[in-house]
Amino acid sequence: MAELSEDRIAAYAASRLPGARDVAVSGLARISGGASRETYRLRLRYVDADGRSVERPLILRRDPPASLIETERHIEFAAYRAFHGSPVPVPQMLWLEEDPAHLDYPFFVAEELTGFESSPGALTGEAYDPVREKLGRRKWTILGEISRADPEALGLTTVMAKVAPEDCWRRELDYWEGVLDEDEVTPQPIIRAAIRWLRANPPPPAQKISVVHGDFRTGNFLYDAAGEIHGILDWEMAHLGDPLEDLGWGLNRIWCWGQNDLRGGLLPRDQAIAVWEQASGLKADPAALHWWELFNCVKGQGIWVSGAKAWSDGETRDPILIISAWRMFNPQDRAALELMGRL
Amino acid sequence: MKPDPDAVLGYLAGLMVQTIAPQVQPQYLAGVIGMSGMLLGMAAQEWDRAADRLVKENRAIRGLFRQAERVGLDADLAQEVRALAGGQDDDLRISALESVNTGLRAALISLHAAVETRTDAASRALNDAIWAELSASTSRRAYTGSPF
């Protein structure tokens, strides 16, 4: 396998830019971009067919040998494309390449949104005190926009697996319980008890079928010091389903980042829900939301055990997989206990 | 070992996260070093307490299994928990304690599922005791800097 190089990327870009000449790539650097794909920053330069010089900062996301989660990159790519230009800010997608002949693994290329912050840790600092509430309102408003959107009108019902409103919960729970069955590196008595409760107390059918981002949380969007959000990232778990699934994931205690009265480190729980309801035009029935919040503890533990298994099996040695396991196993259990009234 | 390994690991963690990582390029490698420092910091916390935590947890679960003798379980499960209840931690290496703990927690899942829907007093008391131990286990495993 050849090294990922600027020349190889430039050769690929040239093949996707008919009429372009002098195609060159510079500044290739791997950056921290989540645990599911390798993320690279690069700068593309070329002269287009009309003779204009073009320079674009880009992001290349390539499948790794193993990852925290198994995802379909064409679904992620389609989700980004569907929301581009909508009230949900996302970077523009350029190319999806599933043939590993070009860069050894499938990948996609997107514009880079430059000059913004994504770290949840930075948000806990005093510098963000004045805009924390504004950011929280923007965050849950944008999630409301995702929930409100019509998946068919977005063209996503032809890409994502369809699901009936009454089947959303079972499909998701079956999937993540299966992940635990397969990847569990140590017994999970708390999460297994949660699964039994979830099966015995199913939620009502989804009030609508929405696009579910799948990982909508602080840390997966680009923001600035003025409290504006410029890009929703990491759509690799996007699917059709109950919009309360996304709301429940974002409210998960593990994403409070040590600020336990602020969900996502940004807003009190009730306020976050109210903002989402207003933006989505939907209702967060308390019992149904409780089900989805507890489900998301199962999903979270499924993600963490998958990373631990991938590392333990030697599929990959990326330390982010160990961080995920060591750092998240226990808080995820505690979040589940709290929701079951047993903490 | 002197100096104490937890102190050494904790110092190295701080060095990597606060001093080395900010000076490393490219950004991805700085992130790897920062994460490695965080892992050392967590290992430092675990170094001193891991054996104590596991012995306490194993002892607590065996206590639950003894309590289960007052509950009418099906024969296979009753036999399994009775056998496990009589065990003890002779080998205090972390790997040995973890191995025993894995077996105990797996059986605890079966026991919990068997009693949680029962309404008799002994089963309800055992169910509450299991939940109390599960909660206590997360307190024992908590570490500084946890998200929750």
Side-chain angles (χ1 to χ4, degrees), chain A residues 113-159:
Chain A
L113 302 175
T114 58
F116 307 119
E117 180 68 77
S118 64
S119 163
L123 278 176
T124 62
E126 288 181 7
Y128 282 92
D129 285 351
V131 297
R132 192 167 289 119
E133 180 177 348
K134 180 183 176 186
L135 264 173
R137 297 187 70 83
R138 281 296 294 143
K139 173 186 169 179
W140 272 287
T141 296
I142 292 169
L143 180 58
E145 295 284 358
I146 295 171
S147 302
R148 174 194 288 272
D150 177 357
E152 188 158 0
L154 289 170
L156 291 174
T157 51
T158 57
V159 181

Side-chain angles (χ1 to χ4, degrees), chain A residues 3 20 39 72 118 136 151 204 220 239 263 288 296 331:
Chain A
E3 189 78 9
T39 305
E72 293 290 343
S118 64
N220 277 344
H239 58 275
R263 299 307 168 103
N296 274 302

Side-chain angles (χ1 to χ4, degrees), chain A residues 73-299:
Chain A
R73 77 213 52 85
H74 74 276
I75 292 177
E76 180 180 8
F77 190 83
Y80 274 112
R81 278 219 157 150
F83 281 102
H84 186 63
S86 80
V88 179
V90 292
Q92 182 186 15
M93 294 289 112
L94 299 183
W95 308 308
L96 169 67
E97 183 54 67
E98 302 202 83
D99 184 348
H102 300 280
L103 298 179
D104 308 318
Y105 297 100
F107 62 93
F108 63 78
V109 178
E111 70 166 325
E112 180 186 13
L113 302 175
T114 58
F116 307 119
E117 180 68 77
S118 64
S119 163
L123 278 176
T124 62
E126 288 181 7
Y128 282 92
D129 285 351
V131 297
R132 192 167 289 119
E133 180 177 348
K134 180 183 176 186
L135 264 173
R137 297 187 70 83
R138 281 296 294 143
K139 173 186 169 179
W140 272 287
T141 296
I142 292 169
L143 180 58
E145 295 284 358
I146 295 171
S147 302
R148 174 194 288 272
D150 177 357
E152 188 158 0
L154 289 170
L156 291 174
T157 51
T158 57
V159 181
M160 298 175 173
K162 291 182 179 174
V163 61
E166 64 274 19
D167 293 334
C168 293
W169 72 268
R170 188 180 296 105
R171 186 186 70 174
E172 294 306 313
L173 186 57
D174 286 351
Y175 176 78
W176 288 104
E177 185 177 17
V179 168
L180 283 159
D181 289 344
E182 195 166 319
D183 291 348
E184 192 176 71
V185 289
T186 184
Q188 301 285 340
I190 294 169
I191 294 302
R192 294 293 178 179
I195 290 171
R196 294 193 299 275
W197 187 91
L198 291 166
R199 290 207 179 278
N201 300 277
Q207 57 200 299
K208 78 178 277 263
I209 295 298
S210 293
V211 177
V212 175
H213 176 282
D215 196 8
F216 193 90
R217 63 173 175 84
T218 302
N220 277 344
F221 57 78
L222 297 169
Y223 60 91
D224 64 22
E228 188 48 67
I229 291 177
H230 297 271
I232 304 298
L233 308 176
D234 292 317
W235 291 76
E236 60 262 38
M237 290 195 284
H239 58 275
L240 301 181
D242 191 320
L244 293 181
E245 181 186 341
D246 260 345
L247 184 60
W249 180 245
L251 294 173
N252 198 314
R253 283 284 201 186
I254 60 169
W255 306 129
C256 290
W257 306 109
Q259 301 190 72
N260 289 332
D261 54 340
L262 297 179
R263 299 307 168 103
L266 296 170
L267 280 187
R269 183 177 183 279
D270 289 350
Q271 195 177 346
I273 294 168
V275 170
W276 176 85
E277 285 185 326
Q278 186 172 16
S280 67
L282 303 171
K283 284 289 171 198
D285 170 73
L289 180 57
H290 177 262
W291 192 97
W292 283 103
E293 286 184 271
L294 185 57
F295 158 78
N296 274 302
C297 293
V298 175
K299 171 178 168 176

Side-chain angles (χ1 to χ4, degrees), chain A residues 30-31 187-190 192-193 196 253-254 258 260 318 320 323 326-327 330-331 334-335 337 340 342-343, chain B residues 27-28 32 35 38-39 42 102 105-106 109 112-113 116 128 131 134-135 138-139 141-143 145-148:
Chain A
R30 186 169 177 186
I31 60 174
Q188 301 285 340
I190 294 169
R192 294 293 178 179
R196 294 193 299 275
R253 283 284 201 186
I254 60 169
N260 289 332
D318 192 326
I320 198 168
I323 287 273
W326 283 15
R327 196 152 185 253
N330 198 54
R334 291 176 65 79
L337 282 172
M340 290 187 284
R342 298 288 186 173
L343 186 61
Chain B
Q27 180 206 1
Y28 173 72
V32 168
M35 284 189 283
M38 286 176 64
L39 292 171
M42 295 183 71
T102 295
R105 279 165 71 88
I109 292 171
H112 198 183
E116 67 187 354
D128 287 344
W131 279 116
L134 291 175
S135 178
T138 67
S139 298
R141 292 161 190 248
Y143 53 87
S146 171
F148 176 53

